[in-house]
Amino acid sequence: PDLLISSTDVAISKTSPYPGEAIQVTASIHNNGTMASGPFTALITRGDPFIDGWVLIASVSVADVAAGQTAVISAEYVAPVAAHNVFVFVDSAQVISEASESNNVASGAVQPLPLPDLAVSSEYVTFSHTVLDNNRTVEVRAIVSNVGGGDAASALVTLVNITAQGPVSWGETTLPLIPAGQSVQPTFLIQPSAGSYTLEVWVDRNNTVRELNEANNVASKAATFTFTELTVRLYKVANGAGVQASEFSA
């Protein structure tokens, strides 16, 4: 027998997938010899099986390939972030004596598309002021960065007040397209009462943007808004003179 595979025999369903997408690999193995092959194993790997670092996709058992015939094998795997080659290694255990052993390996290239990665951090959530004496309207600012390799399409960003009854939206705005490596600064105007709050900025809460990482889309920030303490003294008139009657602060 002479088992043969070439690069044209390796079919990859998506050669430019997004990371995380499923890819189907189909390989046609030919027997160009004059005798049936008998049973053998074919490896489908991500990376060259003769170089350290390769990852096994599937080990497929083939019962037999008759002389002049073809066997078709297939397997599925999930695309990683990095570009790579998918290899098919026929008769990987080398149990078959063949006319040629040099035509048992073939490969195909896969180049995943870069994904955006929208990120927000509590470090970059700020308030214009927290003392409300002169202005009840507070501007809340956040920085949303695209730390991924692809451009991020327009998405919603929401300011949320976390209460005992659950999250309450305090504002929403639409982010523009953010190129890879760039940032934008959404702002919100709120009029809080005096008190302590836990505010969160939610980026793309509806998951409309396919991202590399969904775990960095929320930032939480504690805030306490106050009025300056005002002391009030009440006086009463006794015998023509003012005498302090009481005092309270607010």
Side-chain angles (χ1 to χ4, degrees):
D2 183 15
L3 296 174
L4 163 70
I5 190 169
S6 67
S7 59
T8 57
D9 296 315
V10 180
I12 300 173
S13 61
K14 297 177 181 179
T15 55
S16 297
Y18 284 106
E21 281 194 305
I23 300 177
Q24 184 79 21
V25 181
T26 304
S28 298
I29 302 170
H30 311 286
N31 182 358
N32 281 359
T34 58
M35 297 175 58
S37 67
F40 63 90
T41 299
L43 297 183
I44 302 176
T45 65
R46 176 161 58 85
D48 190 331
F50 297 100
I51 299 176
D52 288 344
W54 60 274
V55 176
L56 179 67
I57 295 173
S59 177
V60 183
S61 297
V62 180
D64 186 48
V65 182
Q69 299 300 307
T70 298
V72 178
I73 63 173
S74 64
E76 187 176 278
Y77 75 106
V78 175
V81 173
H84 58 280
N85 287 342
V86 175
F87 283 77
V88 180
F89 182 13
V90 176
D91 187 27
S92 57
Q94 296 186 332
V95 297
I96 299 174
S97 296
E98 300 184 59
S100 173
E101 298 285 354
S102 63
N103 52 9
N104 286 8
V105 179
S107 65
V110 178
Q111 177 68 59
L113 297 171
L115 281 178
D117 185 8
L118 295 172
V120 63
S121 169
S122 58
E123 177 184 1
Y124 300 111
V125 178
T126 59
F127 308 99
S128 58
H129 57 283
T130 57
V131 177
L132 306 177
D133 291 352
N134 298 320
N135 187 359
R136 282 286 308 278
T137 301
V138 176
E139 184 179 68
V140 184
R141 311 180 190 95
I143 295 177
V144 178
S145 302
N146 179 4
V147 298
D151 294 345
S154 177
L156 292 176
V157 58
T158 309
L159 180 66
V160 178
N161 176 28
I162 304 300
T163 71
Q165 292 73 38
V168 177
S169 175
W170 271 14
E172 194 166 63
T173 188
T174 301
L175 298 174
L177 182 146
I178 307 177
Q182 300 297 311
S183 300
V184 297
Q185 187 180 62
T187 60
F188 305 89
L189 296 178
I190 62 174
Q191 290 189 321
S193 300
S196 296
Y197 299 85
T198 298
L199 301 180
E200 291 187 350
V201 177
W202 294 358
V203 178
D204 190 33
R205 66 175 181 175
N206 297 322
N207 292 325
T208 59
V209 178
R210 184 195 292 267
E211 295 186 62
L212 192 62
N213 179 14
E214 299 285 355
N216 54 4
N217 286 10
V218 176
S220 182
K221 188 83 168 188
T224 299
F225 300 101
T226 62
F227 288 96
T228 302
E229 184 177 77
L230 176 66
T231 300
V232 178
R233 295 182 176 88
L234 299 180
Y235 292 83
K236 64 181 180 180
V237 177
N239 298 321
V243 179
Q244 183 173 329
S246 62
E247 177 178 306
F248 64 92
S249 299

mmCIF file with all atom_site columns, all heavy atoms in Angstrom, residues 1-5 30-33 90-91 94 96-105:
data_model
loop_
_atom_site.group_PDB
_atom_site.id
_atom_site.type_symbol
_atom_site.label_atom_id
_atom_site.label_alt_id
_atom_site.label_comp_id
_atom_site.label_asym_id
_atom_site.label_entity_id
_atom_site.label_seq_id
_atom_site.pdbx_PDB_ins_code
_atom_site.Cartn_x
_atom_site.Cartn_y
_atom_site.Cartn_z
_atom_site.occupancy
_atom_site.B_iso_or_equiv
_atom_site.pdbx_formal_charge
_atom_site.auth_seq_id
_atom_site.auth_comp_id
_atom_site.auth_asym_id
_atom_site.auth_atom_id
_atom_site.pdbx_PDB_model_num
ATOM 1   N N   . PRO A 1 1   ? 0.832  -1.204 0.000  1.00 0.00 ? 1   PRO A N   1
ATOM 2   C CA  . PRO A 1 1   ? 0.000  0.000  0.000  1.00 0.00 ? 1   PRO A CA  1
ATOM 3   C C   . PRO A 1 1   ? 0.867  1.254  0.000  1.00 0.00 ? 1   PRO A C   1
ATOM 4   O O   . PRO A 1 1   ? 2.055  1.212  0.344  1.00 0.00 ? 1   PRO A O   1
ATOM 5   C CB  . PRO A 1 1   ? -0.779 -0.117 1.298  1.00 0.00 ? 1   PRO A CB  1
ATOM 6   C CG  . PRO A 1 1   ? 0.066  -0.971 2.181  1.00 0.00 ? 1   PRO A CG  1
ATOM 7   C CD  . PRO A 1 1   ? 0.773  -1.929 1.270  1.00 0.00 ? 1   PRO A CD  1
ATOM 8   N N   . ASP A 1 2   ? 0.263  2.350  -0.384 1.00 0.00 ? 2   ASP A N   1
ATOM 9   C CA  . ASP A 1 2   ? 0.950  3.648  -0.320 1.00 0.00 ? 2   ASP A CA  1
ATOM 10  C C   . ASP A 1 2   ? -0.089 4.699  0.045  1.00 0.00 ? 2   ASP A C   1
ATOM 11  O O   . ASP A 1 2   ? -0.810 5.207  -0.816 1.00 0.00 ? 2   ASP A O   1
ATOM 12  C CB  . ASP A 1 2   ? 1.618  3.982  -1.655 1.00 0.00 ? 2   ASP A CB  1
ATOM 13  C CG  . ASP A 1 2   ? 2.405  5.284  -1.581 1.00 0.00 ? 2   ASP A CG  1
ATOM 14  O OD1 . ASP A 1 2   ? 2.662  5.756  -0.451 1.00 0.00 ? 2   ASP A OD1 1
ATOM 15  O OD2 . ASP A 1 2   ? 2.733  5.839  -2.644 1.00 0.00 ? 2   ASP A OD2 1
ATOM 16  N N   . LEU A 1 3   ? -0.176 5.011  1.329  1.00 0.00 ? 3   LEU A N   1
ATOM 17  C CA  . LEU A 1 3   ? -1.124 6.018  1.797  1.00 0.00 ? 3   LEU A CA  1
ATOM 18  C C   . LEU A 1 3   ? -0.584 7.403  1.469  1.00 0.00 ? 3   LEU A C   1
ATOM 19  O O   . LEU A 1 3   ? 0.587  7.699  1.684  1.00 0.00 ? 3   LEU A O   1
ATOM 20  C CB  . LEU A 1 3   ? -1.339 5.875  3.304  1.00 0.00 ? 3   LEU A CB  1
ATOM 21  C CG  . LEU A 1 3   ? -1.984 4.552  3.747  1.00 0.00 ? 3   LEU A CG  1
ATOM 22  C CD1 . LEU A 1 3   ? -2.021 4.454  5.259  1.00 0.00 ? 3   LEU A CD1 1
ATOM 23  C CD2 . LEU A 1 3   ? -3.386 4.410  3.157  1.00 0.00 ? 3   LEU A CD2 1
ATOM 24  N N   . LEU A 1 4   ? -1.488 8.233  0.978  1.00 0.00 ? 4   LEU A N   1
ATOM 25  C CA  . LEU A 1 4   ? -1.076 9.546  0.463  1.00 0.00 ? 4   LEU A CA  1
ATOM 26  C C   . LEU A 1 4   ? -2.074 10.602 0.913  1.00 0.00 ? 4   LEU A C   1
ATOM 27  O O   . LEU A 1 4   ? -3.290 10.390 0.848  1.00 0.00 ? 4   LEU A O   1
ATOM 28  C CB  . LEU A 1 4   ? -1.009 9.504  -1.068 1.00 0.00 ? 4   LEU A CB  1
ATOM 29  C CG  . LEU A 1 4   ? -0.981 10.844 -1.812 1.00 0.00 ? 4   LEU A CG  1
ATOM 30  C CD1 . LEU A 1 4   ? 0.352  11.544 -1.577 1.00 0.00 ? 4   LEU A CD1 1
ATOM 31  C CD2 . LEU A 1 4   ? -1.225 10.635 -3.306 1.00 0.00 ? 4   LEU A CD2 1
ATOM 32  N N   . ILE A 1 5   ? -1.549 11.751 1.329  1.00 0.00 ? 5   ILE A N   1
ATOM 33  C CA  . ILE A 1 5   ? -2.380 12.927 1.597  1.00 0.00 ? 5   ILE A CA  1
ATOM 34  C C   . ILE A 1 5   ? -1.576 14.159 1.220  1.00 0.00 ? 5   ILE A C   1
ATOM 35  O O   . ILE A 1 5   ? -0.359 14.208 1.408  1.00 0.00 ? 5   ILE A O   1
ATOM 36  C CB  . ILE A 1 5   ? -2.828 12.983 3.077  1.00 0.00 ? 5   ILE A CB  1
ATOM 37  C CG1 . ILE A 1 5   ? -3.884 14.083 3.251  1.00 0.00 ? 5   ILE A CG1 1
ATOM 38  C CG2 . ILE A 1 5   ? -1.664 13.172 4.030  1.00 0.00 ? 5   ILE A CG2 1
ATOM 39  C CD1 . ILE A 1 5   ? -4.594 14.044 4.609  1.00 0.00 ? 5   ILE A CD1 1
ATOM 40  N N   . HIS A 1 30  ? -5.761 8.866  0.536  1.00 0.00 ? 30  HIS A N   1
ATOM 41  C CA  . HIS A 1 30  ? -5.755 8.004  -0.647 1.00 0.00 ? 30  HIS A CA  1
ATOM 42  C C   . HIS A 1 30  ? -4.784 6.832  -0.457 1.00 0.00 ? 30  HIS A C   1
ATOM 43  O O   . HIS A 1 30  ? -3.767 6.968  0.234  1.00 0.00 ? 30  HIS A O   1
ATOM 44  C CB  . HIS A 1 30  ? -5.335 8.796  -1.891 1.00 0.00 ? 30  HIS A CB  1
ATOM 45  C CG  . HIS A 1 30  ? -6.077 10.090 -2.052 1.00 0.00 ? 30  HIS A CG  1
ATOM 46  N ND1 . HIS A 1 30  ? -7.390 10.148 -2.459 1.00 0.00 ? 30  HIS A ND1 1
ATOM 47  C CD2 . HIS A 1 30  ? -5.674 11.378 -1.834 1.00 0.00 ? 30  HIS A CD2 1
ATOM 48  C CE1 . HIS A 1 30  ? -7.768 11.415 -2.508 1.00 0.00 ? 30  HIS A CE1 1
ATOM 49  N NE2 . HIS A 1 30  ? -6.738 12.181 -2.138 1.00 0.00 ? 30  HIS A NE2 1
ATOM 50  N N   . ASN A 1 31  ? -5.093 5.723  -1.100 1.00 0.00 ? 31  ASN A N   1
ATOM 51  C CA  . ASN A 1 31  ? -4.168 4.594  -1.169 1.00 0.00 ? 31  ASN A CA  1
ATOM 52  C C   . ASN A 1 31  ? -3.758 4.420  -2.629 1.00 0.00 ? 31  ASN A C   1
ATOM 53  O O   . ASN A 1 31  ? -4.509 3.915  -3.455 1.00 0.00 ? 31  ASN A O   1
ATOM 54  C CB  . ASN A 1 31  ? -4.827 3.317  -0.646 1.00 0.00 ? 31  ASN A CB  1
ATOM 55  C CG  . ASN A 1 31  ? -3.866 2.134  -0.660 1.00 0.00 ? 31  ASN A CG  1
ATOM 56  O OD1 . ASN A 1 31  ? -2.720 2.251  -1.096 1.00 0.00 ? 31  ASN A OD1 1
ATOM 57  N ND2 . ASN A 1 31  ? -4.345 0.974  -0.210 1.00 0.00 ? 31  ASN A ND2 1
ATOM 58  N N   . ASN A 1 32  ? -2.549 4.884  -2.935 1.00 0.00 ? 32  ASN A N   1
ATOM 59  C CA  . ASN A 1 32  ? -2.046 4.797  -4.305 1.00 0.00 ? 32  ASN A CA  1
ATOM 60  C C   . ASN A 1 32  ? -1.301 3.490  -4.575 1.00 0.00 ? 32  ASN A C   1
ATOM 61  O O   . ASN A 1 32  ? -0.720 3.312  -5.652 1.00 0.00 ? 32  ASN A O   1
ATOM 62  C CB  . ASN A 1 32  ? -1.098 5.974  -4.603 1.00 0.00 ? 32  ASN A CB  1
ATOM 63  C CG  . ASN A 1 32  ? -1.868 7.257  -4.903 1.00 0.00 ? 32  ASN A CG  1
ATOM 64  O OD1 . ASN A 1 32  ? -3.100 7.253  -4.908 1.00 0.00 ? 32  ASN A OD1 1
ATOM 65  N ND2 . ASN A 1 32  ? -1.144 8.341  -5.138 1.00 0.00 ? 32  ASN A ND2 1
ATOM 66  N N   . GLY A 1 33  ? -1.302 2.593  -3.609 1.00 0.00 ? 33  GLY A N   1
ATOM 67  C CA  . GLY A 1 33  ? -0.598 1.330  -3.786 1.00 0.00 ? 33  GLY A CA  1
ATOM 68  C C   . GLY A 1 33  ? -1.463 0.278  -4.465 1.00 0.00 ? 33  GLY A C   1
ATOM 69  O O   . GLY A 1 33  ? -2.584 0.542  -4.921 1.00 0.00 ? 33  GLY A O   1
ATOM 70  N N   . VAL A 1 90  ? -1.039 10.772 8.661  1.00 0.00 ? 90  VAL A N   1
ATOM 71  C CA  . VAL A 1 90  ? -1.585 9.452  8.323  1.00 0.00 ? 90  VAL A CA  1
ATOM 72  C C   . VAL A 1 90  ? -0.638 8.353  8.807  1.00 0.00 ? 90  VAL A C   1
ATOM 73  O O   . VAL A 1 90  ? 0.589  8.471  8.661  1.00 0.00 ? 90  VAL A O   1
ATOM 74  C CB  . VAL A 1 90  ? -1.808 9.355  6.797  1.00 0.00 ? 90  VAL A CB  1
ATOM 75  C CG1 . VAL A 1 90  ? -2.291 7.959  6.415  1.00 0.00 ? 90  VAL A CG1 1
ATOM 76  C CG2 . VAL A 1 90  ? -2.793 10.425 6.342  1.00 0.00 ? 90  VAL A CG2 1
ATOM 77  N N   . ASP A 1 91  ? -1.225 7.289  9.369  1.00 0.00 ? 91  ASP A N   1
ATOM 78  C CA  . ASP A 1 91  ? -0.446 6.173  9.920  1.00 0.00 ? 91  ASP A CA  1
ATOM 79  C C   . ASP A 1 91  ? 0.597  6.694  10.896 1.00 0.00 ? 91  ASP A C   1
ATOM 80  O O   . ASP A 1 91  ? 1.798  6.450  10.770 1.00 0.00 ? 91  ASP A O   1
ATOM 81  C CB  . ASP A 1 91  ? 0.216  5.365  8.801  1.00 0.00 ? 91  ASP A CB  1
ATOM 82  C CG  . ASP A 1 91  ? 0.885  4.101  9.327  1.00 0.00 ? 91  ASP A CG  1
ATOM 83  O OD1 . ASP A 1 91  ? 0.441  3.575  10.369 1.00 0.00 ? 91  ASP A OD1 1
ATOM 84  O OD2 . ASP A 1 91  ? 1.853  3.635  8.690  1.00 0.00 ? 91  ASP A OD2 1
ATOM 85  N N   . GLN A 1 94  ? 2.974  4.376  12.359 1.00 0.00 ? 94  GLN A N   1
ATOM 86  C CA  . GLN A 1 94  ? 3.828  3.763  11.342 1.00 0.00 ? 94  GLN A CA  1
ATOM 87  C C   . GLN A 1 94  ? 3.800  2.223  11.449 1.00 0.00 ? 94  GLN A C   1
ATOM 88  O O   . GLN A 1 94  ? 4.848  1.564  11.495 1.00 0.00 ? 94  GLN A O   1
ATOM 89  C CB  . GLN A 1 94  ? 5.253  4.292  11.458 1.00 0.00 ? 94  GLN A CB  1
ATOM 90  C CG  . GLN A 1 94  ? 5.343  5.795  11.176 1.00 0.00 ? 94  GLN A CG  1
ATOM 91  C CD  . GLN A 1 94  ? 6.758  6.326  11.149 1.00 0.00 ? 94  GLN A CD  1
ATOM 92  O OE1 . GLN A 1 94  ? 7.649  5.786  11.798 1.00 0.00 ? 94  GLN A OE1 1
ATOM 93  N NE2 . GLN A 1 94  ? 6.963  7.385  10.381 1.00 0.00 ? 94  GLN A NE2 1
ATOM 94  N N   . ILE A 1 96  ? 2.189  0.466  9.071  1.00 0.00 ? 96  ILE A N   1
ATOM 95  C CA  . ILE A 1 96  ? 2.023  -0.047 7.710  1.00 0.00 ? 96  ILE A CA  1
ATOM 96  C C   . ILE A 1 96  ? 3.324  0.127  6.935  1.00 0.00 ? 96  ILE A C   1
ATOM 97  O O   . ILE A 1 96  ? 3.912  1.226  6.917  1.00 0.00 ? 96  ILE A O   1
ATOM 98  C CB  . ILE A 1 96  ? 0.874  0.684  6.987  1.00 0.00 ? 96  ILE A CB  1
ATOM 99  C CG1 . ILE A 1 96  ? -0.443 0.462  7.751  1.00 0.00 ? 96  ILE A CG1 1
ATOM 100 C CG2 . ILE A 1 96  ? 0.740  0.211  5.552  1.00 0.00 ? 96  ILE A CG2 1
ATOM 101 C CD1 . ILE A 1 96  ? -1.598 1.252  7.201  1.00 0.00 ? 96  ILE A CD1 1
ATOM 102 N N   . SER A 1 97  ? 3.746  -0.920 6.272  1.00 0.00 ? 97  SER A N   1
ATOM 103 C CA  . SER A 1 97  ? 4.907  -0.826 5.384  1.00 0.00 ? 97  SER A CA  1
ATOM 104 C C   . SER A 1 97  ? 4.423  -0.282 4.046  1.00 0.00 ? 97  SER A C   1
ATOM 105 O O   . SER A 1 97  ? 3.593  -0.897 3.375  1.00 0.00 ? 97  SER A O   1
ATOM 106 C CB  . SER A 1 97  ? 5.551  -2.205 5.190  1.00 0.00 ? 97  SER A CB  1
ATOM 107 O OG  . SER A 1 97  ? 6.058  -2.691 6.408  1.00 0.00 ? 97  SER A OG  1
ATOM 108 N N   . GLU A 1 98  ? 4.925  0.886  3.688  1.00 0.00 ? 98  GLU A N   1
ATOM 109 C CA  . GLU A 1 98  ? 4.426  1.566  2.491  1.00 0.00 ? 98  GLU A CA  1
ATOM 110 C C   . GLU A 1 98  ? 5.527  1.728  1.442  1.00 0.00 ? 98  GLU A C   1
ATOM 111 O O   . GLU A 1 98  ? 6.725  1.688  1.762  1.00 0.00 ? 98  GLU A O   1
ATOM 112 C CB  . GLU A 1 98  ? 3.895  2.946  2.853  1.00 0.00 ? 98  GLU A CB  1
ATOM 113 C CG  . GLU A 1 98  ? 2.744  2.951  3.852  1.00 0.00 ? 98  GLU A CG  1
ATOM 114 C CD  . GLU A 1 98  ? 2.227  4.362  4.070  1.00 0.00 ? 98  GLU A CD  1
ATOM 115 O OE1 . GLU A 1 98  ? 1.794  4.989  3.083  1.00 0.00 ? 98  GLU A OE1 1
ATOM 116 O OE2 . GLU A 1 98  ? 2.266  4.832  5.225  1.00 0.00 ? 98  GLU A OE2 1
ATOM 117 N N   . ALA A 1 99  ? 5.069  1.974  0.222  1.00 0.00 ? 99  ALA A N   1
ATOM 118 C CA  . ALA A 1 99  ? 6.014  2.261  -0.857 1.00 0.00 ? 99  ALA A CA  1
ATOM 119 C C   . ALA A 1 99  ? 6.760  3.551  -0.588 1.00 0.00 ? 99  ALA A C   1
ATOM 120 O O   . ALA A 1 99  ? 7.933  3.708  -0.945 1.00 0.00 ? 99  ALA A O   1
ATOM 121 C CB  . ALA A 1 99  ? 5.265  2.330  -2.189 1.00 0.00 ? 99  ALA A CB  1
ATOM 122 N N   . SER A 1 100 ? 6.053  4.540  0.087  1.00 0.00 ? 100 SER A N   1
ATOM 123 C CA  . SER A 1 100 ? 6.694  5.805  0.446  1.00 0.00 ? 100 SER A CA  1
ATOM 124 C C   . SER A 1 100 ? 6.128  6.286  1.781  1.00 0.00 ? 100 SER A C   1
ATOM 125 O O   . SER A 1 100 ? 4.914  6.248  1.992  1.00 0.00 ? 100 SER A O   1
ATOM 126 C CB  . SER A 1 100 ? 6.441  6.874  -0.629 1.00 0.00 ? 100 SER A CB  1
ATOM 127 O OG  . SER A 1 100 ? 6.925  8.140  -0.197 1.00 0.00 ? 100 SER A OG  1
ATOM 128 N N   . GLU A 1 101 ? 6.996  6.742  2.666  1.00 0.00 ? 101 GLU A N   1
ATOM 129 C CA  . GLU A 1 101 ? 6.566  7.289  3.954  1.00 0.00 ? 101 GLU A CA  1
ATOM 130 C C   . GLU A 1 101 ? 6.604  8.816  3.962  1.00 0.00 ? 101 GLU A C   1
ATOM 131 O O   . GLU A 1 101 ? 6.282  9.442  4.964  1.00 0.00 ? 101 GLU A O   1
ATOM 132 C CB  . GLU A 1 101 ? 7.481  6.767  5.077  1.00 0.00 ? 101 GLU A CB  1
ATOM 133 C CG  . GLU A 1 101 ? 7.472  5.264  5.267  1.00 0.00 ? 101 GLU A CG  1
ATOM 134 C CD  . GLU A 1 101 ? 6.210  4.756  5.948  1.00 0.00 ? 101 GLU A CD  1
ATOM 135 O OE1 . GLU A 1 101 ? 5.384  5.596  6.386  1.00 0.00 ? 101 GLU A OE1 1
ATOM 136 O OE2 . GLU A 1 101 ? 6.037  3.528  6.046  1.00 0.00 ? 101 GLU A OE2 1
ATOM 137 N N   . SER A 1 102 ? 6.994  9.401  2.829  1.00 0.00 ? 102 SER A N   1
ATOM 138 C CA  . SER A 1 102 ? 7.216  10.855 2.784  1.00 0.00 ? 102 SER A CA  1
ATOM 139 C C   . SER A 1 102 ? 5.967  11.644 2.431  1.00 0.00 ? 102 SER A C   1
ATOM 140 O O   . SER A 1 102 ? 6.011  12.880 2.373  1.00 0.00 ? 102 SER A O   1
ATOM 141 C CB  . SER A 1 102 ? 8.325  11.185 1.777  1.00 0.00 ? 102 SER A CB  1
ATOM 142 O OG  . SER A 1 102 ? 7.929  10.804 0.463  1.00 0.00 ? 102 SER A OG  1
ATOM 143 N N   . ASN A 1 103 ? 4.861  10.933 2.165  1.00 0.00 ? 103 ASN A N   1
ATOM 144 C CA  . ASN A 1 103 ? 3.649  11.633 1.722  1.00 0.00 ? 103 ASN A CA  1
ATOM 145 C C   . ASN A 1 103 ? 2.484  11.415 2.692  1.00 0.00 ? 103 ASN A C   1
ATOM 146 O O   . ASN A 1 103 ? 1.328  11.400 2.305  1.00 0.00 ? 103 ASN A O   1
ATOM 147 C CB  . ASN A 1 103 ? 3.247  11.175 0.322  1.00 0.00 ? 103 ASN A CB  1
ATOM 148 C CG  . ASN A 1 103 ? 3.154  9.654  0.235  1.00 0.00 ? 103 ASN A CG  1
ATOM 149 O OD1 . ASN A 1 103 ? 3.234  8.949  1.242  1.00 0.00 ? 103 ASN A OD1 1
ATOM 150 N ND2 . ASN A 1 103 ? 2.991  9.148  -0.990 1.00 0.00 ? 103 ASN A ND2 1
ATOM 151 N N   . ASN A 1 104 ? 2.832  11.271 3.977  1.00 0.00 ? 104 ASN A N   1
ATOM 152 C CA  . ASN A 1 104 ? 1.816  10.950 4.985  1.00 0.00 ? 104 ASN A CA  1
ATOM 153 C C   . ASN A 1 104 ? 1.385  12.139 5.837  1.00 0.00 ? 104 ASN A C   1
ATOM 154 O O   . ASN A 1 104 ? 0.598  11.980 6.759  1.00 0.00 ? 104 ASN A O   1
ATOM 155 C CB  . ASN A 1 104 ? 2.318  9.843  5.925  1.00 0.00 ? 104 ASN A CB  1
ATOM 156 C CG  . ASN A 1 104 ? 2.307  8.476  5.260  1.00 0.00 ? 104 ASN A CG  1
ATOM 157 O OD1 . ASN A 1 104 ? 2.059  8.364  4.063  1.00 0.00 ? 104 ASN A OD1 1
ATOM 158 N ND2 . ASN A 1 104 ? 2.578  7.434  6.044  1.00 0.00 ? 104 ASN A ND2 1
ATOM 159 N N   . VAL A 1 105 ? 1.894  13.314 5.553  1.00 0.00 ? 105 VAL A N   1
ATOM 160 C CA  . VAL A 1 105 ? 1.560  14.500 6.345  1.00 0.00 ? 105 VAL A CA  1
ATOM 161 C C   . VAL A 1 105 ? 1.170  15.646 5.423  1.00 0.00 ? 105 VAL A C   1
ATOM 162 O O   . VAL A 1 105 ? 1.846  15.900 4.418  1.00 0.00 ? 105 VAL A O   1
ATOM 163 C CB  . VAL A 1 105 ? 2.737  14.935 7.243  1.00 0.00 ? 105 VAL A CB  1
ATOM 164 C CG1 . VAL A 1 105 ? 2.365  16.184 8.045  1.00 0.00 ? 105 VAL A CG1 1
ATOM 165 C CG2 . VAL A 1 105 ? 3.143  13.814 8.188  1.00 0.00 ? 105 VAL A CG2 1
#
